[in-house]
């Protein structure tokens, strides 16, 4: 085919080359302009729209949005060209148009990489140059070549330009991540950090495996709506550890993750410091090593749950954190009279606020800097994140850069999108595992009521007609959930309509009324029908 390619085809194809280059070079700065654009869309989207998108698409909402933006970019390029051609623009006008579009694309690409990265000039500049190399080469080919360019030749040029963009991106990748390598890394052993600080090092041995008690061979393991149903070939008594039960204290690897952002911010601890400022007598900055070795640092086991968790859902986890009370940090700065909120500001633009009175009165409102004996993993907010036990996870700002005392009311990220401000957790209980051993069946799970604690859990095997008290494990801490287990004689393998309900430490039974997560967290009893 040697027909002249339409301008729309050439422009669209150029946009595709541009996108390829952008994605190839993204690791150099730890993000890319398309993700930044998606982020802007998420942030300006009205609260209910964002909520509906997250509820219907879940984890696919963000990738879908990025795909949409990519398609829109290509369509816009093709559209502009088709429009210009349709109007029969002359050469001079075409050149002007090309120049204008070029300027816009260069500026957007550079600004996008600048926003995605953490400010290292040469990295985002190099990323921009490589991402634009492909499309730029295409122009050279076209202008250097004959005025009429056959489709085969165009395709060959496009392939070459895409190759240059992707090849350049891969080469840039090999230059490495965005770190200075000076501060502690995400997930680094806290002992190693302390030793480094003291000037000694020993190899990181990792944690020893814990032996597992004989639980019998498990047959017929399946999942019914998040609940693990199994039959075990043993007569051993049930503990709290049978198949499907979550660990009382989980690990970073199995902790749920929820972020507003398309990609997590890469914070370089070597260049990061926490800023404590606002309405305080003496603002100051503290680096990660100083926080890790802070005199008030303590280990605490905390359960967090996302406010968008549904009844029986798994957006709830328990982990061991190393943390410094926020009030200890603020005491060093000296909070001024008239303080209203303690605002946390994050590297991804997220903000949250908690009344100063609450921070002042509660030792357990903390800034976490460690998890499982290591510095925080990136996904959980490296290098520092807030934890407010008993409030939904939205209050616990990750990737904190500043703690700022305000003299006015501050509206947090999700509050501005119509979710409740205080976000005190509702009492919840959920079935996680049902197991048969001979004639006995055990129902196990977790219950949580934040700072109110859990006093009682009842289980029904007949859809709520009759109830029995479950055995309760001691909670791993006052900030954590409690595991429960009910063992019943049940030779009959027919369907069981399992329902669970908890009573908190204030004597209030969990409400049966079913509500969805928006705006104050889901409520209602969890149940599942199983046969085993
Ligand atoms: N900076 C920042 N902090 C954030 C979020 C976020 O998107 N950005 N998400 C919040 C929400 S909604 C929840 S549920 C918790 C999740 O914490 P995790 O991912 O460590 O479990 O972080 C909170 N902190
Ligand atoms: Mo959340």
């Amino acid at each position: 085919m040697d027909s002249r390619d339409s301008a729309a085809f050439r422009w669209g194809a150029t946009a595709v080359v541009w996108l390829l280059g952008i994605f190839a070079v993204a690791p150099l700065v730890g993000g890319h302009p398309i993700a930044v654009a998606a982020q802007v869309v998420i942030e300006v989207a009205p609260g209910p729209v964002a909520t509906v998108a997250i509820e219907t698409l879940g984890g696919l909402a963000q990738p879908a949005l990025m795909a949409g933006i990519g398609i829109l970019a290509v369509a816009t390029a093709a559209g502009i060209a088709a429009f210009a051609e349709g109007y029969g623009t002359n050469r001079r006008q075409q050149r002007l148009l090309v120049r204008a579009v070029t300027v816009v694309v260069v500026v957007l690409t550079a600004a996008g990489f600048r926003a995605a990265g953490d400010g290292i000039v040469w990295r985002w500049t190099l990323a921009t140059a490589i991402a634009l190399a492909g499309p730029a080469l295409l122009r050279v080919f076209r202008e250097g070549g004959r005025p009429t360019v056959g489709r085969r030749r165009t395709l060959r040029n496009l392939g070459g330009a895409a190759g240059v963009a992707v090849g350049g991106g891969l080469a840039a990748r090999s230059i490495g991540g965005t770190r200075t390598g000076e501060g502690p890394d995400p997930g680094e052993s806290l002992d190693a950090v302390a030793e480094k600080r003291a000037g000694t090092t020993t190899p990181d041995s990792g944690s020893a495996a814990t032996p597992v008690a004989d639980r019998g061979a498990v047959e017929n393991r399946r999942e019914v709506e998040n609940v693990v149903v199994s039959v075990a070939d043993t007569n051993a008594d049930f503990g709290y550890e049978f198949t499907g039960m979550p660990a009382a204290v989980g690990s970073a690897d199995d902790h749920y993750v929820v972020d507003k952002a398309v990609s997590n911010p890469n914070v370089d601890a070597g260049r990061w410091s926490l800023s404590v400022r606002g309405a305080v007598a003496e603002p100051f900055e503290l680096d990660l090593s100083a926080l890790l070795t802070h005199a008030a640092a303590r280990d605490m086991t905390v359960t967090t749950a996302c406010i968008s968790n549904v009844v029986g859902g798994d957006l709830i986890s328990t982990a061991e954190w190393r943390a410094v009370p926020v009030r200890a940090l603020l005491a060093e700065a000296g909070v001024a009279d008239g303080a209203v909120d303690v605002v946390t500001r994050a590297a991804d633009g997220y903000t949250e606020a908690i009344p100063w009175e609450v921070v002042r009165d509660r030792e357990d409102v903390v800034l976490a800097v460690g998890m499982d004996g290591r510095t925080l993993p990136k996904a959980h907010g490296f290098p520092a994140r807030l934890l407010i036990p008993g409030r939904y996870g939205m209050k616990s700002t990750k990737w904190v850069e500043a703690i700022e005392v305000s003299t006015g009311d501050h509206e947090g990220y999700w509050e501005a999108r119509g979710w409740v401000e205080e976000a005190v957790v509702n009492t919840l209980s959920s079935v996680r595992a049902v197991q048969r051993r001979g004639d006995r069946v055990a129902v196990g799970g977790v219950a949580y009521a934040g700072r109110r604690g859990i006093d009682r859990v009842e289980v029904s095997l007949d859809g709520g007609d009759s109830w029995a008290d479950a055995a309760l494990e001691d909670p791993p801490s006052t900030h954590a959930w409690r595991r429960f287990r009910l063992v019943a004689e049940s030779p009959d393998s027919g369907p069981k309509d399992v329902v669970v309900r908890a009573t908190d430490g204030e004597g209030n039974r969990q409400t049966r009324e079913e509500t969805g997560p928006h705006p104050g967290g889901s409520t209602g009893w969890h149940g599942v029908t199983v046969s085993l």
Side-chain angles (χ1 to χ4, degrees), residues 255-261 304-307 321 346-348 350 379-381 385 393-399 414:
H255 201 284
Y256 84 90
V257 176
V258 171
D259 330 295
K260 72 174 179 71
T304 45
C306 182
I307 196 163
W321 305 87
D348 61 347
Y350 195 88
H380 297 296
R385 65 94 49 84
M394 62 177 252
K395 301 299 288 182
S396 298
T397 312
K398 302 193 274 189
W399 310 290
W414 286 114

PDB file of all heavy atoms in Angstrom, residues 255-261 304-307 321 346-348 350 379-381 385 393-399 414, ligand 1:
ATOM      1  N   HIS A 255      -0.989  -7.662  55.315  1.00  0.00           N
ATOM      2  CA  HIS A 255      -1.785  -6.511  55.751  1.00  0.00           C
ATOM      3  C   HIS A 255      -2.503  -5.903  54.548  1.00  0.00           C
ATOM      4  O   HIS A 255      -1.915  -5.758  53.487  1.00  0.00           O
ATOM      5  CB  HIS A 255      -0.869  -5.467  56.388  1.00  0.00           C
ATOM      6  CG  HIS A 255      -1.586  -4.507  57.293  1.00  0.00           C
ATOM      7  ND1 HIS A 255      -2.366  -3.467  56.802  1.00  0.00           N
ATOM      8  CD2 HIS A 255      -1.655  -4.417  58.640  1.00  0.00           C
ATOM      9  CE1 HIS A 255      -2.866  -2.788  57.833  1.00  0.00           C
ATOM     10  NE2 HIS A 255      -2.456  -3.333  58.951  1.00  0.00           N
ATOM     11  N   TYR A 256      -3.758  -5.566  54.726  1.00  0.00           N
ATOM     12  CA  TYR A 256      -4.489  -4.955  53.606  1.00  0.00           C
ATOM     13  C   TYR A 256      -3.867  -3.601  53.258  1.00  0.00           C
ATOM     14  O   TYR A 256      -3.194  -2.988  54.082  1.00  0.00           O
ATOM     15  CB  TYR A 256      -5.983  -4.808  53.957  1.00  0.00           C
ATOM     16  CG  TYR A 256      -6.344  -3.571  54.753  1.00  0.00           C
ATOM     17  CD1 TYR A 256      -6.687  -2.382  54.109  1.00  0.00           C
ATOM     18  CD2 TYR A 256      -6.350  -3.578  56.145  1.00  0.00           C
ATOM     19  CE1 TYR A 256      -7.008  -1.240  54.831  1.00  0.00           C
ATOM     20  CE2 TYR A 256      -6.676  -2.447  56.868  1.00  0.00           C
ATOM     21  CZ  TYR A 256      -7.002  -1.277  56.204  1.00  0.00           C
ATOM     22  OH  TYR A 256      -7.309  -0.141  56.914  1.00  0.00           O
ATOM     23  N   VAL A 257      -4.079  -3.160  52.018  1.00  0.00           N
ATOM     24  CA  VAL A 257      -3.544  -1.877  51.556  1.00  0.00           C
ATOM     25  C   VAL A 257      -4.674  -1.096  50.897  1.00  0.00           C
ATOM     26  O   VAL A 257      -5.395  -1.636  50.064  1.00  0.00           O
ATOM     27  CB  VAL A 257      -2.419  -2.074  50.505  1.00  0.00           C
ATOM     28  CG1 VAL A 257      -1.953  -0.731  49.960  1.00  0.00           C
ATOM     29  CG2 VAL A 257      -1.256  -2.852  51.095  1.00  0.00           C
ATOM     30  N   VAL A 258      -4.851   0.159  51.292  1.00  0.00           N
ATOM     31  CA  VAL A 258      -5.811   1.026  50.602  1.00  0.00           C
ATOM     32  C   VAL A 258      -5.174   2.397  50.405  1.00  0.00           C
ATOM     33  O   VAL A 258      -4.712   3.012  51.369  1.00  0.00           O
ATOM     34  CB  VAL A 258      -7.123   1.213  51.408  1.00  0.00           C
ATOM     35  CG1 VAL A 258      -8.000   2.284  50.764  1.00  0.00           C
ATOM     36  CG2 VAL A 258      -7.898  -0.083  51.504  1.00  0.00           C
ATOM     37  N   ASP A 259      -5.107   2.861  49.165  1.00  0.00           N
ATOM     38  CA  ASP A 259      -4.612   4.222  48.896  1.00  0.00           C
ATOM     39  C   ASP A 259      -5.500   4.888  47.888  1.00  0.00           C
ATOM     40  O   ASP A 259      -6.101   4.243  47.062  1.00  0.00           O
ATOM     41  CB  ASP A 259      -3.242   4.256  48.214  1.00  0.00           C
ATOM     42  CG  ASP A 259      -2.378   3.104  48.577  1.00  0.00           C
ATOM     43  OD1 ASP A 259      -2.038   3.030  49.732  1.00  0.00           O
ATOM     44  OD2 ASP A 259      -2.061   2.310  47.681  1.00  0.00           O
ATOM     45  N   LYS A 260      -5.469   6.203  47.928  1.00  0.00           N
ATOM     46  CA  LYS A 260      -6.184   6.984  46.923  1.00  0.00           C
ATOM     47  C   LYS A 260      -5.358   7.060  45.653  1.00  0.00           C
ATOM     48  O   LYS A 260      -5.864   7.293  44.577  1.00  0.00           O
ATOM     49  CB  LYS A 260      -6.455   8.401  47.435  1.00  0.00           C
ATOM     50  CG  LYS A 260      -5.207   9.272  47.499  1.00  0.00           C
ATOM     51  CD  LYS A 260      -5.581  10.696  47.872  1.00  0.00           C
ATOM     52  CE  LYS A 260      -4.365  11.596  47.972  1.00  0.00           C
ATOM     53  NZ  LYS A 260      -3.760  11.899  46.673  1.00  0.00           N
ATOM     54  N   ALA A 261      -4.034   6.884  45.775  1.00  0.00           N
ATOM     55  CA  ALA A 261      -3.141   7.182  44.668  1.00  0.00           C
ATOM     56  C   ALA A 261      -3.011   6.019  43.705  1.00  0.00           C
ATOM     57  O   ALA A 261      -3.169   4.865  44.070  1.00  0.00           O
ATOM     58  CB  ALA A 261      -1.768   7.559  45.198  1.00  0.00           C
ATOM     59  N   THR A 304      -6.207  -2.159  62.261  1.00  0.00           N
ATOM     60  CA  THR A 304      -6.819  -1.073  61.496  1.00  0.00           C
ATOM     61  C   THR A 304      -7.819  -1.665  60.511  1.00  0.00           C
ATOM     62  O   THR A 304      -7.629  -2.784  60.021  1.00  0.00           O
ATOM     63  CB  THR A 304      -5.799  -0.230  60.706  1.00  0.00           C
ATOM     64  OG1 THR A 304      -4.884  -1.099  60.061  1.00  0.00           O
ATOM     65  CG2 THR A 304      -5.051   0.738  61.587  1.00  0.00           C
ATOM     66  N   ALA A 305      -8.867  -0.914  60.255  1.00  0.00           N
ATOM     67  CA  ALA A 305      -9.884  -1.351  59.305  1.00  0.00           C
ATOM     68  C   ALA A 305     -10.231  -0.180  58.416  1.00  0.00           C
ATOM     69  O   ALA A 305     -10.260   0.963  58.866  1.00  0.00           O
ATOM     70  CB  ALA A 305     -11.134  -1.818  60.046  1.00  0.00           C
ATOM     71  N   CYS A 306     -10.479  -0.484  57.152  1.00  0.00           N
ATOM     72  CA  CYS A 306     -10.863   0.583  56.220  1.00  0.00           C
ATOM     73  C   CYS A 306     -12.353   0.855  56.368  1.00  0.00           C
ATOM     74  O   CYS A 306     -13.157  -0.068  56.522  1.00  0.00           O
ATOM     75  CB  CYS A 306     -10.554   0.169  54.784  1.00  0.00           C
ATOM     76  SG  CYS A 306     -10.954   1.460  53.595  1.00  0.00           S
ATOM     77  N   ILE A 307     -12.710   2.115  56.279  1.00  0.00           N
ATOM     78  CA  ILE A 307     -14.116   2.500  56.403  1.00  0.00           C
ATOM     79  C   ILE A 307     -14.937   1.951  55.234  1.00  0.00           C
ATOM     80  O   ILE A 307     -16.147   1.801  55.337  1.00  0.00           O
ATOM     81  CB  ILE A 307     -14.241   4.042  56.524  1.00  0.00           C
ATOM     82  CG1 ILE A 307     -15.618   4.441  57.051  1.00  0.00           C
ATOM     83  CG2 ILE A 307     -13.913   4.739  55.200  1.00  0.00           C
ATOM     84  CD1 ILE A 307     -15.692   5.852  57.580  1.00  0.00           C
ATOM     85  N   TRP A 321       3.608  -2.589  65.314  1.00  0.00           N
ATOM     86  CA  TRP A 321       4.216  -1.361  64.815  1.00  0.00           C
ATOM     87  C   TRP A 321       5.218  -0.820  65.828  1.00  0.00           C
ATOM     88  O   TRP A 321       5.086  -1.082  67.025  1.00  0.00           O
ATOM     89  CB  TRP A 321       3.141  -0.283  64.598  1.00  0.00           C
ATOM     90  CG  TRP A 321       2.003  -0.679  63.705  1.00  0.00           C
ATOM     91  CD1 TRP A 321       0.851  -1.324  64.082  1.00  0.00           C
ATOM     92  CD2 TRP A 321       1.891  -0.451  62.290  1.00  0.00           C
ATOM     93  NE1 TRP A 321       0.028  -1.494  62.984  1.00  0.00           N
ATOM     94  CE2 TRP A 321       0.642  -0.974  61.881  1.00  0.00           C
ATOM     95  CE3 TRP A 321       2.717   0.147  61.337  1.00  0.00           C
ATOM     96  CZ2 TRP A 321       0.198  -0.927  60.558  1.00  0.00           C
ATOM     97  CZ3 TRP A 321       2.277   0.198  60.023  1.00  0.00           C
ATOM     98  CH2 TRP A 321       1.040  -0.333  59.636  1.00  0.00           C
ATOM     99  N   ALA A 346       0.671  14.559  53.674  1.00  0.00           N
ATOM    100  CA  ALA A 346       1.412  13.428  53.121  1.00  0.00           C
ATOM    101  C   ALA A 346       2.021  13.738  51.760  1.00  0.00           C
ATOM    102  O   ALA A 346       1.599  14.674  51.073  1.00  0.00           O
ATOM    103  CB  ALA A 346       0.484  12.227  52.988  1.00  0.00           C
ATOM    104  N   ALA A 347       2.984  12.903  51.389  1.00  0.00           N
ATOM    105  CA  ALA A 347       3.702  13.071  50.128  1.00  0.00           C
ATOM    106  C   ALA A 347       2.793  12.916  48.909  1.00  0.00           C
ATOM    107  O   ALA A 347       3.114  13.394  47.825  1.00  0.00           O
ATOM    108  CB  ALA A 347       4.853  12.065  50.052  1.00  0.00           C
ATOM    109  N   ASP A 348       1.649  12.226  49.070  1.00  0.00           N
ATOM    110  CA  ASP A 348       0.741  12.064  47.926  1.00  0.00           C
ATOM    111  C   ASP A 348      -0.370  13.109  47.938  1.00  0.00           C
ATOM    112  O   ASP A 348      -1.353  12.986  47.215  1.00  0.00           O
ATOM    113  CB  ASP A 348       0.127  10.653  47.922  1.00  0.00           C
ATOM    114  CG  ASP A 348      -0.695  10.374  49.174  1.00  0.00           C
ATOM    115  OD1 ASP A 348      -0.597  11.162  50.140  1.00  0.00           O
ATOM    116  OD2 ASP A 348      -1.446   9.388  49.186  1.00  0.00           O
ATOM    117  N   TYR A 350      -2.391  13.714  50.365  1.00  0.00           N
ATOM    118  CA  TYR A 350      -3.441  13.351  51.320  1.00  0.00           C
ATOM    119  C   TYR A 350      -3.274  14.180  52.592  1.00  0.00           C
ATOM    120  O   TYR A 350      -2.155  14.485  52.989  1.00  0.00           O
ATOM    121  CB  TYR A 350      -3.243  11.879  51.658  1.00  0.00           C
ATOM    122  CG  TYR A 350      -4.383  11.172  52.352  1.00  0.00           C
ATOM    123  CD1 TYR A 350      -5.398  10.579  51.620  1.00  0.00           C
ATOM    124  CD2 TYR A 350      -4.404  11.029  53.735  1.00  0.00           C
ATOM    125  CE1 TYR A 350      -6.413   9.878  52.255  1.00  0.00           C
ATOM    126  CE2 TYR A 350      -5.412  10.327  54.376  1.00  0.00           C
ATOM    127  CZ  TYR A 350      -6.416   9.752  53.621  1.00  0.00           C
ATOM    128  OH  TYR A 350      -7.413   9.045  54.244  1.00  0.00           O
ATOM    129  N   ALA A 379       4.274   0.460  50.809  1.00  0.00           N
ATOM    130  CA  ALA A 379       2.816   0.461  50.694  1.00  0.00           C
ATOM    131  C   ALA A 379       2.130   0.925  51.977  1.00  0.00           C
ATOM    132  O   ALA A 379       1.007   1.412  51.941  1.00  0.00           O
ATOM    133  CB  ALA A 379       2.317  -0.938  50.331  1.00  0.00           C
ATOM    134  N   HIS A 380       2.806   0.749  53.105  1.00  0.00           N
ATOM    135  CA  HIS A 380       2.177   1.115  54.372  1.00  0.00           C
ATOM    136  C   HIS A 380       2.655   2.459  54.894  1.00  0.00           C
ATOM    137  O   HIS A 380       2.458   2.781  56.064  1.00  0.00           O
ATOM    138  CB  HIS A 380       2.350  -0.003  55.395  1.00  0.00           C
ATOM    139  CG  HIS A 380       1.677  -1.275  54.983  1.00  0.00           C
ATOM    140  ND1 HIS A 380       0.311  -1.360  54.837  1.00  0.00           N
ATOM    141  CD2 HIS A 380       2.162  -2.479  54.617  1.00  0.00           C
ATOM    142  CE1 HIS A 380      -0.005  -2.570  54.422  1.00  0.00           C
ATOM    143  NE2 HIS A 380       1.096  -3.271  54.274  1.00  0.00           N
ATOM    144  N   GLY A 381       3.316   3.232  54.019  1.00  0.00           N
ATOM    145  CA  GLY A 381       3.565   4.625  54.370  1.00  0.00           C
ATOM    146  C   GLY A 381       4.995   5.033  54.653  1.00  0.00           C
ATOM    147  O   GLY A 381       5.212   6.073  55.281  1.00  0.00           O
ATOM    148  N   ARG A 385       3.970   6.948  59.186  1.00  0.00           N
ATOM    149  CA  ARG A 385       2.528   7.044  59.005  1.00  0.00           C
ATOM    150  C   ARG A 385       1.858   7.133  60.373  1.00  0.00           C
ATOM    151  O   ARG A 385       2.363   6.640  61.361  1.00  0.00           O
ATOM    152  CB  ARG A 385       2.009   5.855  58.202  1.00  0.00           C
ATOM    153  CG  ARG A 385       2.137   4.481  58.827  1.00  0.00           C
ATOM    154  CD  ARG A 385       0.921   3.993  59.598  1.00  0.00           C
ATOM    155  NE  ARG A 385      -0.344   4.101  58.953  1.00  0.00           N
ATOM    156  CZ  ARG A 385      -0.830   3.206  58.103  1.00  0.00           C
ATOM    157  NH1 ARG A 385      -0.149   2.119  57.820  1.00  0.00           N
ATOM    158  NH2 ARG A 385      -2.009   3.375  57.575  1.00  0.00           N
ATOM    159  N   GLY A 393      -9.192   3.430  59.144  1.00  0.00           N
ATOM    160  CA  GLY A 393      -7.870   3.651  58.535  1.00  0.00           C
ATOM    161  C   GLY A 393      -7.708   4.994  57.846  1.00  0.00           C
ATOM    162  O   GLY A 393      -6.598   5.519  57.767  1.00  0.00           O
ATOM    163  N   MET A 394      -8.796   5.563  57.329  1.00  0.00           N
ATOM    164  CA  MET A 394      -8.690   6.856  56.623  1.00  0.00           C
ATOM    165  C   MET A 394      -8.067   7.948  57.488  1.00  0.00           C
ATOM    166  O   MET A 394      -7.499   8.898  56.968  1.00  0.00           O
ATOM    167  CB  MET A 394     -10.068   7.326  56.133  1.00  0.00           C
ATOM    168  CG  MET A 394     -11.055   7.569  57.272  1.00  0.00           C
ATOM    169  SD  MET A 394     -12.648   8.219  56.688  1.00  0.00           S
ATOM    170  CE  MET A 394     -12.540   9.911  57.266  1.00  0.00           C
ATOM    171  N   LYS A 395      -8.155   7.805  58.820  1.00  0.00           N
ATOM    172  CA  LYS A 395      -7.579   8.827  59.696  1.00  0.00           C
ATOM    173  C   LYS A 395      -6.059   8.684  59.801  1.00  0.00           C
ATOM    174  O   LYS A 395      -5.384   9.584  60.287  1.00  0.00           O
ATOM    175  CB  LYS A 395      -8.178   8.736  61.110  1.00  0.00           C
ATOM    176  CG  LYS A 395      -9.681   8.889  61.208  1.00  0.00           C
ATOM    177  CD  LYS A 395     -10.194  10.213  60.707  1.00  0.00           C
ATOM    178  CE  LYS A 395      -9.890  11.406  61.583  1.00  0.00           C
ATOM    179  NZ  LYS A 395     -10.492  12.645  61.025  1.00  0.00           N
ATOM    180  N   SER A 396      -5.546   7.519  59.384  1.00  0.00           N
ATOM    181  CA  SER A 396      -4.128   7.192  59.585  1.00  0.00           C
ATOM    182  C   SER A 396      -3.283   7.536  58.358  1.00  0.00           C
ATOM    183  O   SER A 396      -2.919   6.662  57.576  1.00  0.00           O
ATOM    184  CB  SER A 396      -3.975   5.706  59.903  1.00  0.00           C
ATOM    185  OG  SER A 396      -4.650   5.403  61.088  1.00  0.00           O
ATOM    186  N   THR A 397      -2.974   8.802  58.224  1.00  0.00           N
ATOM    187  CA  THR A 397      -2.203   9.294  57.076  1.00  0.00           C
ATOM    188  C   THR A 397      -0.893   8.524  56.891  1.00  0.00           C
ATOM    189  O   THR A 397      -0.120   8.380  57.833  1.00  0.00           O
ATOM    190  CB  THR A 397      -1.883  10.784  57.304  1.00  0.00           C
ATOM    191  OG1 THR A 397      -3.080  11.435  57.683  1.00  0.00           O
ATOM    192  CG2 THR A 397      -1.293  11.418  56.060  1.00  0.00           C
ATOM    193  N   LYS A 398      -0.660   8.049  55.684  1.00  0.00           N
ATOM    194  CA  LYS A 398       0.611   7.388  55.345  1.00  0.00           C
ATOM    195  C   LYS A 398       1.541   8.413  54.688  1.00  0.00           C
ATOM    196  O   LYS A 398       1.101   9.470  54.270  1.00  0.00           O
ATOM    197  CB  LYS A 398       0.375   6.220  54.381  1.00  0.00           C
ATOM    198  CG  LYS A 398      -0.590   5.182  54.946  1.00  0.00           C
ATOM    199  CD  LYS A 398      -0.587   3.892  54.159  1.00  0.00           C
ATOM    200  CE  LYS A 398      -1.536   3.937  52.969  1.00  0.00           C
ATOM    201  NZ  LYS A 398      -1.671   2.595  52.338  1.00  0.00           N
ATOM    202  N   TRP A 399       2.826   8.082  54.563  1.00  0.00           N
ATOM    203  CA  TRP A 399       3.832   8.946  53.922  1.00  0.00           C
ATOM    204  C   TRP A 399       3.793  10.373  54.479  1.00  0.00           C
ATOM    205  O   TRP A 399       3.848  11.362  53.745  1.00  0.00           O
ATOM    206  CB  TRP A 399       3.643   8.984  52.398  1.00  0.00           C
ATOM    207  CG  TRP A 399       3.527   7.625  51.795  1.00  0.00           C
ATOM    208  CD1 TRP A 399       4.527   6.718  51.682  1.00  0.00           C
ATOM    209  CD2 TRP A 399       2.352   7.013  51.225  1.00  0.00           C
ATOM    210  NE1 TRP A 399       4.045   5.571  51.101  1.00  0.00           N
ATOM    211  CE2 TRP A 399       2.715   5.731  50.803  1.00  0.00           C
ATOM    212  CE3 TRP A 399       1.034   7.440  51.056  1.00  0.00           C
ATOM    213  CZ2 TRP A 399       1.811   4.860  50.211  1.00  0.00           C
ATOM    214  CZ3 TRP A 399       0.141   6.566  50.467  1.00  0.00           C
ATOM    215  CH2 TRP A 399       0.531   5.299  50.048  1.00  0.00           C
ATOM    216  N   TRP A 414     -10.877  12.479  52.847  1.00  0.00           N
ATOM    217  CA  TRP A 414     -12.139  11.757  52.633  1.00  0.00           C
ATOM    218  C   TRP A 414     -13.332  12.500  53.213  1.00  0.00           C
ATOM    219  O   TRP A 414     -14.456  12.369  52.735  1.00  0.00           O
ATOM    220  CB  TRP A 414     -12.052  10.333  53.191  1.00  0.00           C
ATOM    221  CG  TRP A 414     -11.209   9.451  52.313  1.00  0.00           C
ATOM    222  CD1 TRP A 414     -10.009   8.873  52.627  1.00  0.00           C
ATOM    223  CD2 TRP A 414     -11.493   9.064  50.954  1.00  0.00           C
ATOM    224  NE1 TRP A 414      -9.531   8.173  51.548  1.00  0.00           N
ATOM    225  CE2 TRP A 414     -10.412   8.268  50.510  1.00  0.00           C
ATOM    226  CE3 TRP A 414     -12.545   9.319  50.065  1.00  0.00           C
ATOM    227  CZ2 TRP A 414     -10.352   7.724  49.229  1.00  0.00           C
ATOM    228  CZ3 TRP A 414     -12.483   8.777  48.780  1.00  0.00           C
ATOM    229  CH2 TRP A 414     -11.404   7.991  48.379  1.00  0.00           C
TER     230      TRP A 414
HETATM  231  N1  LIG B   1      -1.187   9.476  52.402  1.00  0.00           N
HETATM  232  C1  LIG B   1      -2.205   8.610  52.434  1.00  0.00           C
HETATM  233  N2  LIG B   1      -2.549   8.064  53.590  1.00  0.00           N
HETATM  234  C2  LIG B   1      -3.560   7.185  53.649  1.00  0.00           C
HETATM  235  C3  LIG B   1      -4.297   6.838  52.504  1.00  0.00           C
HETATM  236  C4  LIG B   1      -3.908   7.432  51.280  1.00  0.00           C
HETATM  237  O1  LIG B   1      -4.482   7.187  50.220  1.00  0.00           O
HETATM  238  N3  LIG B   1      -2.850   8.323  51.273  1.00  0.00           N
HETATM  239  N4  LIG B   1      -5.347   5.945  52.596  1.00  0.00           N
HETATM  240  C5  LIG B   1      -5.975   5.830  53.915  1.00  0.00           C
HETATM  241  C6  LIG B   1      -6.924   4.744  54.025  1.00  0.00           C
HETATM  242  S1  LIG B   1      -8.466   4.990  53.366  1.00  0.00           S
HETATM  243  C7  LIG B   1      -6.657   3.611  54.746  1.00  0.00           C
HETATM  244  S2  LIG B   1      -7.849   2.442  55.012  1.00  0.00           S
HETATM  245  C8  LIG B   1      -5.310   3.379  55.324  1.00  0.00           C
HETATM  246  C9  LIG B   1      -4.761   2.060  54.836  1.00  0.00           C
HETATM  247  O2  LIG B   1      -3.513   1.809  55.417  1.00  0.00           O
HETATM  248  P1  LIG B   1      -2.704   0.530  54.951  1.00  0.00           P
HETATM  249  O3  LIG B   1      -2.655   0.558  53.446  1.00  0.00           O
HETATM  250  O4  LIG B   1      -1.366   0.619  55.586  1.00  0.00           O
HETATM  251  O5  LIG B   1      -3.478  -0.676  55.434  1.00  0.00           O
HETATM  252  O6  LIG B   1      -4.391   4.398  54.985  1.00  0.00           O
HETATM  253  C10 LIG B   1      -4.939   5.687  55.012  1.00  0.00           C
HETATM  254  N5  LIG B   1      -3.877   6.631  54.847  1.00  0.00           N
END
